[in-house]
Amino acid sequence: GQNIDQPTEMTATEGAIVQINCTYQTSGFNGLFWYQQHAGEAPTFLSYNVLDGLEEKGRFSSFLSRSKGYSYLLLKELQMKDSASYLCAARDSNYQLIWGAGTKLIIKP
Amino acid sequence: GAVVSQHPSRVICKSGTSVKIECRSLDFQATTMFWYRQFPKQSLMLMATSNEGSKATYEQGVEKDKFLINHASLTLSTLTVTSAHPEDSSFYICSAKGAGGDYTEAFFGQGTRLTVV
């Protein structure tokens, strides 16, 4: 079956760095997405990886290893507003998104 | 980036009534729209995939006669929850994908919080 695994919750300190891991198993693979979702709001797009390697976008970076079925989202210089859930989603051979349950990130002062 | 607008953002309805949710792509033609449901502290669950001008494809376990989807134009899809019951209370989110491209699906509407009383 198809499956996405990511930690349920993580805690980090303001100004620090945090890495949120995601492993996936899908029927075929057409890219991996990371989204940020604040409570009560729709997800917002953060990053997209389809090739191996690191994609950097400001304070956020995303890494993909297709051979390992693994990705991570790296958040630097954490701010209180980064407190949110971070959703990992892999797109399968039918171009359908398979979603993880999300990682709730708690930022402490 | 692409803009997807969803309305209403919140709706409260009485049990047994129907509710219509609209999803519009504002600056691109959405050949495919996706409807999701999300219960508190749970992941997004795909309900159906809607292609312009054709019948929606529903995921297993989603009642097509209860959740009516219409995608009559390239910029508008609607989800109608018919004979709503309290267990239908949830957060409903649409996303839209244009023709071609690799991740235009990445953009979501604002979501609709449905409460059935």
Side-chain angles (χ1 to χ4, degrees), chain B residues 45-111:
Chain B
M45 292 174 52
L46 180 65
M47 299 175 66
T49 302
S50 163
N51 291 298
E52 185 266 337
S54 62
K55 290 184 179 180
T57 301
Y58 290 81
E59 295 300 301
Q60 193 172 9
V62 178
E63 300 173 61
K64 62 181 181 181
D65 294 330
K66 181 171 182 61
F67 299 98
L68 302 179
I69 293 173
N70 183 285
H71 191 168
S73 78
L74 285 171
T75 59
L76 174 65
S77 176
T78 61
L79 167 68
T80 301
V81 183
T82 62
S83 187
H85 289 96
E87 57 264 31
D88 298 323
S89 297
S90 186
F91 192 49
Y92 292 86
I93 312 172
C94 70
S95 72
K97 181 181 185 298
D102 57 356
Y103 60 90
T104 54
E105 185 196 343
F107 301 98
F108 287 82
Q110 301 94 323

Side-chain angles (χ1 to χ4, degrees), chain A residues 33 35 37 40-43 45 48 87 91 95-97 99-101, chain B residues 36 38 43-44 46 59 91 93 102-103 105-106 108-111 113:
Chain A
F33 297 80
Y35 293 86
Q37 186 177 26
E41 298 181 11
F45 172 76
Y48 168 73
L87 306 175
R91 193 159 60 185
Y95 282 80
Q96 180 167 313
L97 284 176
W99 293 88
Chain B
Y36 296 89
Q38 187 178 33
S43 184
L44 295 168
L46 180 65
E59 295 300 301
F91 192 49
I93 312 172
D102 57 356
Y103 60 90
E105 185 196 343
F108 287 82
Q110 301 94 323
R113 173 81 54 199

